[in-house]
Amino acid sequence: MIAEAARRVPHVAFFDALGTLTESDAEWRPMSAGLLMLRLLDSWLANASDQHSDFDQEIRAVREAVNAVPSGTPVRGILSGIVDAIEQLPIREVRPIAPRLMAYGRSLEYEAAWRLATDVYETIVAYTHPAIEPEMTIDATMRMAFCFRTLGEMASAELAYKRAGSLAAAVGDSAKMLHARIGDAKMALVRGNLPAAESILDDTLAKAKTVGAKHVLAMAFHERATVAHARGEHERAIRFAYDALRLTHSLRERDRVLFDLSTFFMDSNVFVAARDALMVLAATAQEQYVRLAATVNLMEIAAREGSEPIFELYRRQLATADLPLAIEVRVHYCTGLGYSAFGHLDSAMEQLEQARDLAARHSLNQQTFEAEALLADVRRGARLQRNTAVDVPESVYDVAEAMSDLRAQLV
């Protein structure tokens, strides 16, 4: 099984990513150290039957690569811990190392390195036996599904969610079965089947309350908010999301719920509450991707409110940032939106053309369509009309107050 797993996990994602870098790039050292660690792990486990084979030379080489990662870089400590475990464990098995590998995968997610994170989770799944380590196998499969979905690989994501659900059912883990069902709801939503997504989530909410799975309840409320938003039910979406926020303990998941809450307020033109939530995220979010996305949305609010100095402040911040692809497309789009609002139509067209071309080149169809539609309006001489901010609806006033309190805590 181990040898077969090693053949299935060649870590092509790391080779591909390194092929786009030079040794002077900041990402080179942590990424190359991660690849060397994974290849050491493959060799170490492939020779598990020979407990006396010597890996001292390989371990020294990997440790040198890890030590070359700048101190203070979080991934350095994670990789060093994995190498220490490989060196010290008396028996060659992945079980004691798997939690550290999960931590490595999550650290890659924090940097929006979804393809690399997927590779790490696939490694865990390949080397763990679901009958011996069911929880670890299910968790890694769920993270893998999330990464596939983020990458737009929906067929792979759907298969991973179904496998996670089957594994959870086989060991009778009700909470993880419900978690996997939320994945099924996400896939129904992606396919545009809102009634199916709603039905799955309502059933999941009821069952999660029965078994007392609060973390699953939080996730189900969050996804239920997404479905309500897709139906145009903004106030219901805000209430569901706030229910999720109050149940969420993970800082990372809290950031995601808070970001969606800000989006629901934005779409309701309740800019004051949206801005409060986004300012909290831009300053404190665990993931760089979320911090950048929050800054882009703050720039968009400034454009829609007609505040050119604030728009320029955020635009300049983003101009010097290293942006993931989806964020880069959004920056070009929102910059074009702002330039249109402020009457700089030639600059607006230039930015929107860049957004359209970049999105089209990477098959981001929805973003391509949105950029093309706005570009057509600007070419006709249309300027973005300033949005009129609305008062906070009474039904979600307490949620807006909570956003204001969160922002006040930044001071």
Side-chain angles (χ1 to χ4, degrees):
M1 176 183 171
I2 298 250
E4 179 187 354
R7 288 195 297 271
R8 286 203 312 268
V9 189
H11 315 300
V12 171
F14 281 82
F15 286 110
D16 287 346
L18 284 167
T20 67
L21 303 174
T22 66
E23 291 189 30
S24 61
D25 290 322
E27 302 96 326
W28 175 272
R29 287 183 177 180
M31 195 180 297
S32 60
L35 173 59
L36 289 173
M37 178 278 294
L38 289 168
R39 295 185 73 187
L40 170 64
L41 180 70
D42 290 341
S43 297
W44 185 71
L45 291 172
N47 289 276
S49 59
D50 181 7
Q51 295 291 326
H52 301 291
S53 54
D54 186 0
F55 280 84
D56 290 348
Q57 185 174 345
E58 290 91 335
I59 289 171
R60 279 196 300 271
V62 178
R63 196 177 296 285
E64 286 178 8
V66 171
N67 289 339
V69 176
S71 59
T73 305
V75 74
R76 175 172 167 162
I78 296 171
L79 294 175
S80 182
I82 295 171
V83 176
D84 288 344
I86 290 174
E87 185 175 37
Q88 297 167 11
L89 283 171
I91 299 176
R92 290 180 195 168
E93 60 174 338
V94 77
R95 195 177 350 174
I97 300 174
R100 292 182 172 94
L101 289 171
M102 284 291 289
Y104 181 40
R106 295 303 285 261
S107 74
L108 292 169
E109 287 189 55
Y110 291 151
E111 298 301 321
W114 313 112
R115 187 74 63 190
L116 303 185
T118 301
D119 188 292
V120 174
Y121 296 134
E122 286 176 332
T123 300
I124 297 169
V125 171
Y127 287 134
T128 53
H129 195 295
I132 300 172
E133 284 292 318
E135 184 171 348
M136 184 61 64
T137 307
I138 295 165
D139 289 347
T141 304
M142 288 294 294
R143 294 315 310 163
M144 192 163 53
F146 173 83
C147 291
F148 279 134
R149 189 164 54 86
T150 305
L151 290 164
E153 298 178 7
M154 299 307 171
S156 296
E158 189 164 18
L159 284 173
Y161 280 129
K162 289 188 180 303
R163 174 163 171 74
S166 297
L167 291 171
V171 297
D173 191 324
S174 299
K176 292 191 185 300
M177 287 170 61
L178 293 172
H179 188 183
R181 285 294 283 161
I182 295 172
D184 294 337
K186 291 175 187 288
M187 299 312 302
L189 180 60
V190 167
R191 292 192 297 268
N193 191 343
L194 298 183
E198 200 171 66
S199 175
I200 292 170
L201 290 167
D202 287 345
D203 180 63
T204 301
L205 283 166
K207 289 177 178 175
K209 290 175 184 176
T210 300
V211 300
K214 289 186 178 180
H215 66 291
V216 176
L217 196 60
M219 289 185 285
F221 271 128
H222 186 191
E223 201 60 31
R224 189 64 182 81
T226 304
V227 175
H229 179 250
R231 287 190 179 278
E233 301 169 347
H234 300 315
E235 291 178 33
R236 289 193 78 201
I238 290 168
R239 289 245 60 97
F240 280 131
Y242 189 49
D243 286 339
L245 187 68
R246 288 184 293 182
L247 287 167
T248 299
H249 298 293
S250 160
L251 291 177
R252 183 174 175 275
E253 292 305 320
R254 164 198 166 278
D255 291 343
R256 293 183 177 280
V257 176
L258 196 57
F259 186 85
D260 283 350
L261 257 175
S262 72
T263 301
F264 304 153
F265 276 120
M266 277 182 70
D267 289 349
S268 303
N269 286 348
V270 184
F271 293 137
V272 62
R275 185 165 43 244
D276 285 342
L278 289 168
M279 290 187 74
V280 171
L281 288 168
T284 68
Q286 301 291 297
E287 297 180 36
Q288 180 192 28
Y289 189 94
V290 177
R291 294 194 299 272
L292 290 169
T295 305
V296 176
N297 283 5
L298 284 166
M299 182 173 73
E300 180 180 348
I301 288 176
R304 293 190 179 280
E305 289 188 312
S307 178
E308 190 166 5
I310 301 300
F311 169 84
E312 275 297 312
L313 174 68
Y314 290 122
R315 187 192 67 77
R316 288 172 184 166
Q317 286 181 19
L318 292 162
T320 59
D322 183 17
L323 304 174
L325 172 63
I327 297 290
E328 186 178 358
V329 173
R330 276 279 294 159
V331 167
H332 286 305
Y333 178 86
C334 290
T335 302
L337 189 80
Y339 283 156
S340 166
F342 305 124
H344 312 310
L345 299 188
D346 287 342
S347 296
M349 285 187 282
E350 180 183 344
Q351 289 293 322
L352 291 168
E353 285 169 355
Q354 289 186 54
R356 177 201 61 194
D357 294 346
L358 184 61
R361 192 157 61 246
H362 293 276
S363 302
L364 301 175
N365 297 330
Q366 182 63 28
Q367 291 91 325
T368 303
F369 172 78
E370 290 171 354
E372 185 61 58
L374 183 56
L375 180 60
D377 289 341
V378 174
R379 282 174 174 161
R380 289 195 298 270
R383 291 177 56 176
L384 175 71
Q385 296 301 308
R386 177 176 175 177
N387 289 57
T388 301
V390 303
D391 293 334
V392 179
E394 185 178 350
S395 65
V396 294
Y397 190 84
D398 60 319
V399 185
E401 284 285 295
M403 300 302 100
S404 177
D405 291 344
L406 285 174
R407 179 182 173 183
Q409 293 171 21
L410 294 177
V411 179

